[in-house]
Amino acid sequence: MKTMVGELITIPSYRAMGLKWEGSYAEVPKLRELIIQMSNRVNELSYVKNPGTQLGLSYHLRSDGFIHYSGFEVDEKQELLPRMVEITVPEMSYLKVAHPKGKDLGVTYTEIYQWFKECDYKPLKEKGIEYYDDLPIKHERYPVDRNLEDPHFEILIPIELKS
């Protein structure tokens, strides 16, 4: 279903493998190095499902920063590789927003925040988990050939109906 900022979609559960980073907002420049490192390691994955799309899965579980997984979707046959982690993402409904080249990322996220204020949905918060951001879970899908200085990518925010 199309919305003013994107569309509502459901993505079945999937398995991803890659590198984990946890840090404060002040340490975010180090995250970029990890993302580049993972994009260089994709060829080590024998059963990658879409080598052209790198995943960025962020969870705001700390007050001063977040946990981020940079990886790729893999088949069940893929063995866990050294220094990598695996994560299983459950089936979820999302607000999917395209962030185009040339647009300020802050503007895109401001539009997403505004959409949530005006609609029947809210960002998903898993029960029993304390989050520290108004958008507690952010999944992004990047084309591997993106321009790191002016990227274009998809933003996926898990959603649930407001009660």
Side-chain angles (χ1 to χ4, degrees), residues 72-90:
F72 291 84
E73 185 177 351
V74 295
D75 187 272
E76 291 303 318
K77 293 181 271 189
Q78 178 67 53
E79 292 181 23
L80 184 60
L81 298 179
R83 299 179 318 282
M84 286 195 190
V85 296
E86 68 177 291
I87 182 171
T88 299
V89 179

Side-chain angles (χ1 to χ4, degrees), residues 123 130 137:
E130 187 171 3
I137 303 170

